[in-house]
CSV table of all heavy atoms in Angstrom, one decimal:
chain,number,residue,atom,x,y,z
A,34,VAL,N,-123.3,4.9,-80.8
A,34,VAL,CA,-122.8,5.8,-81.9
A,34,VAL,C,-121.8,5.0,-82.7
A,34,VAL,O,-120.8,4.6,-82.3
A,34,VAL,CB,-122.2,7.1,-81.4
A,34,VAL,CG1,-121.7,7.9,-82.6
A,34,VAL,CG2,-123.3,7.8,-80.6
A,35,THR,N,-122.1,4.8,-84.0
A,35,THR,CA,-121.4,3.9,-84.9
A,35,THR,C,-120.5,4.6,-85.9
A,35,THR,O,-119.9,3.9,-86.8
A,35,THR,CB,-122.3,2.9,-85.6
A,35,THR,OG1,-123.3,3.7,-86.3
A,35,THR,CG2,-123.1,2.0,-84.7
A,36,LYS,N,-120.3,5.9,-85.7
A,36,LYS,CA,-119.4,6.6,-86.6
A,36,LYS,C,-118.1,5.9,-86.7
A,36,LYS,O,-117.4,5.6,-85.8
A,36,LYS,CB,-119.2,8.0,-86.0
A,36,LYS,CG,-118.3,8.9,-86.8
A,36,LYS,CD,-118.1,10.3,-86.0
A,36,LYS,CE,-117.1,11.1,-86.7
A,36,LYS,NZ,-116.9,12.4,-86.0
A,37,THR,N,-117.7,5.7,-88.0
A,37,THR,CA,-116.4,5.1,-88.4
A,37,THR,C,-116.3,3.6,-88.2
A,37,THR,O,-115.4,2.9,-88.7
A,37,THR,CB,-115.1,5.7,-87.8
A,37,THR,OG1,-115.0,5.3,-86.4
A,37,THR,CG2,-115.2,7.3,-87.8
A,38,PHE,N,-117.2,3.0,-87.5
A,38,PHE,CA,-117.2,1.6,-87.2
A,38,PHE,C,-117.9,0.8,-88.3
A,38,PHE,O,-119.0,1.2,-88.8
A,38,PHE,CB,-117.8,1.2,-85.9
A,38,PHE,CG,-117.0,1.7,-84.7
A,38,PHE,CD1,-117.4,2.8,-84.0
A,38,PHE,CD2,-115.8,1.1,-84.4
A,38,PHE,CE1,-116.7,3.4,-82.9
A,38,PHE,CE2,-115.1,1.6,-83.3
A,38,PHE,CZ,-115.5,2.7,-82.6
A,39,PRO,N,-117.3,-0.3,-88.8
A,39,PRO,CA,-117.9,-1.1,-89.9
A,39,PRO,C,-119.1,-1.8,-89.5
A,39,PRO,O,-119.4,-2.1,-88.4
A,39,PRO,CB,-116.8,-2.0,-90.4
A,39,PRO,CG,-116.0,-2.2,-89.1
A,39,PRO,CD,-116.1,-0.9,-88.4
A,40,ALA,N,-119.8,-2.3,-90.6
A,40,ALA,CA,-121.1,-3.0,-90.4
A,40,ALA,C,-120.9,-4.3,-89.5
A,40,ALA,O,-121.8,-4.6,-88.7
A,40,ALA,CB,-121.7,-3.4,-91.7
A,41,ASP,N,-119.9,-5.0,-89.6
A,41,ASP,CA,-119.7,-6.3,-88.9
A,41,ASP,C,-119.6,-6.0,-87.4
A,41,ASP,O,-120.1,-6.7,-86.5
A,41,ASP,CB,-118.5,-7.1,-89.4
A,41,ASP,CG,-117.2,-6.4,-89.3
A,41,ASP,OD1,-117.2,-5.1,-89.4
A,41,ASP,OD2,-116.2,-7.0,-89.1
A,42,VAL,N,-118.9,-4.8,-87.0
A,42,VAL,CA,-118.8,-4.5,-85.6
A,42,VAL,C,-120.2,-4.1,-85.1
A,42,VAL,O,-120.6,-4.4,-84.0
A,42,VAL,CB,-117.8,-3.3,-85.5
A,42,VAL,CG1,-117.8,-2.8,-84.0
A,42,VAL,CG2,-116.4,-3.8,-85.8
A,43,ILE,N,-121.0,-3.4,-85.9
A,43,ILE,CA,-122.3,-3.0,-85.5
A,43,ILE,C,-123.2,-4.2,-85.3
A,43,ILE,O,-124.0,-4.3,-84.3
A,43,ILE,CB,-122.9,-2.0,-86.5
A,43,ILE,CG1,-122.1,-0.8,-86.7
A,43,ILE,CG2,-124.3,-1.6,-86.2
A,43,ILE,CD1,-122.4,0.1,-87.9
A,44,LEU,N,-123.1,-5.2,-86.2
A,44,LEU,CA,-123.8,-6.4,-86.0
A,44,LEU,C,-123.5,-7.1,-84.7
A,44,LEU,O,-124.4,-7.7,-84.1
A,44,LEU,CB,-123.6,-7.3,-87.2
A,44,LEU,CG,-124.4,-8.6,-87.3
A,44,LEU,CD1,-125.9,-8.3,-87.3
A,44,LEU,CD2,-124.0,-9.4,-88.5
A,45,THR,N,-122.2,-7.1,-84.3
A,45,THR,CA,-121.8,-7.6,-83.0
A,45,THR,C,-122.6,-7.0,-81.9
A,45,THR,O,-123.1,-7.6,-81.0
A,45,THR,CB,-120.3,-7.5,-82.8
A,45,THR,OG1,-119.7,-8.2,-83.8
A,45,THR,CG2,-119.9,-8.0,-81.5
A,46,ALA,N,-122.7,-5.6,-81.9
A,46,ALA,CA,-123.4,-4.9,-80.9
A,46,ALA,C,-124.9,-5.3,-81.0
A,46,ALA,O,-125.6,-5.4,-79.9
A,46,ALA,CB,-123.2,-3.4,-81.1
A,47,TYR,N,-125.4,-5.4,-82.2
A,47,TYR,CA,-126.8,-5.8,-82.3
A,47,TYR,C,-127.1,-7.2,-81.6
A,47,TYR,O,-128.0,-7.3,-80.9
A,47,TYR,CB,-127.2,-5.8,-83.8
A,47,TYR,CG,-128.6,-6.3,-84.1
A,47,TYR,CD1,-129.7,-5.4,-84.1
A,47,TYR,CD2,-128.8,-7.7,-84.3
A,47,TYR,CE1,-131.0,-5.9,-84.3
A,47,TYR,CE2,-130.1,-8.1,-84.5
A,47,TYR,CZ,-131.2,-7.2,-84.6
A,47,TYR,OH,-132.5,-7.7,-84.8
A,48,ASP,N,-126.2,-8.1,-81.9
A,48,ASP,CA,-126.4,-9.4,-81.3
A,48,ASP,C,-126.2,-9.4,-79.8
A,48,ASP,O,-126.8,-10.3,-79.1
A,48,ASP,CB,-125.3,-10.4,-81.9
A,48,ASP,CG,-125.5,-10.7,-83.4
A,48,ASP,OD1,-126.7,-10.6,-83.8
A,48,ASP,OD2,-124.6,-11.1,-84.1
A,49,ALA,N,-125.5,-8.4,-79.3
A,49,ALA,CA,-125.4,-8.2,-77.9
A,49,ALA,C,-126.6,-7.5,-77.2
A,49,ALA,O,-126.6,-7.4,-76.0
A,49,ALA,CB,-124.1,-7.5,-77.5
A,50,GLY,N,-127.5,-7.1,-78.1
A,50,GLY,CA,-128.8,-6.5,-77.6
A,50,GLY,C,-129.0,-5.1,-77.9
A,50,GLY,O,-130.1,-4.5,-77.5
A,51,VAL,N,-128.1,-4.4,-78.6
A,51,VAL,CA,-128.3,-3.0,-78.9
A,51,VAL,C,-129.4,-2.8,-79.9
A,51,VAL,O,-129.4,-3.6,-80.9
A,51,VAL,CB,-127.0,-2.3,-79.4
A,51,VAL,CG1,-127.3,-0.9,-79.8
A,51,VAL,CG2,-126.0,-2.4,-78.3
A,52,ARG,N,-130.3,-1.9,-79.7
A,52,ARG,CA,-131.4,-1.7,-80.7
A,52,ARG,C,-131.6,-0.3,-81.1
A,52,ARG,O,-132.5,0.0,-81.9
A,52,ARG,CB,-132.8,-2.2,-80.1
A,52,ARG,CG,-132.8,-3.7,-80.0
A,52,ARG,CD,-132.8,-4.4,-81.3
A,52,ARG,NE,-132.8,-5.9,-81.3
A,52,ARG,CZ,-131.8,-6.7,-81.1
A,52,ARG,NH1,-130.6,-6.1,-81.0
A,52,ARG,NH2,-131.9,-8.0,-81.0
A,53,HIS,N,-130.7,0.6,-80.7
A,53,HIS,CA,-130.6,2.0,-81.2
A,53,HIS,C,-129.2,2.3,-81.6
A,53,HIS,O,-128.3,2.2,-80.7
A,53,HIS,CB,-131.2,2.9,-80.0
A,53,HIS,CG,-132.6,2.7,-79.7
A,53,HIS,ND1,-133.6,3.5,-80.2
A,53,HIS,CD2,-133.2,1.9,-78.8
A,53,HIS,CE1,-134.8,3.1,-79.8
A,53,HIS,NE2,-134.5,2.1,-78.9
A,54,PHE,N,-129.1,2.8,-82.8
A,54,PHE,CA,-127.8,3.2,-83.3
A,54,PHE,C,-127.8,4.6,-83.8
A,54,PHE,O,-128.8,5.0,-84.4
A,54,PHE,CB,-127.3,2.2,-84.4
A,54,PHE,CG,-127.1,0.8,-84.0
A,54,PHE,CD1,-128.0,-0.2,-84.2
A,54,PHE,CD2,-125.9,0.4,-83.3
A,54,PHE,CE1,-127.9,-1.5,-83.8
A,54,PHE,CE2,-125.7,-0.9,-82.9
A,54,PHE,CZ,-126.6,-1.8,-83.1
Side-chain angles (χ1 to χ4, degrees):
V34 180
T35 53
K36 174 183 175 182
T37 77
F38 293 105
D41 60 332
V42 172
I43 301 170
L44 185 59
T45 297
Y47 175 89
D48 290 339
V51 176
R52 289 298 180 270
H53 294 266
F54 294 100

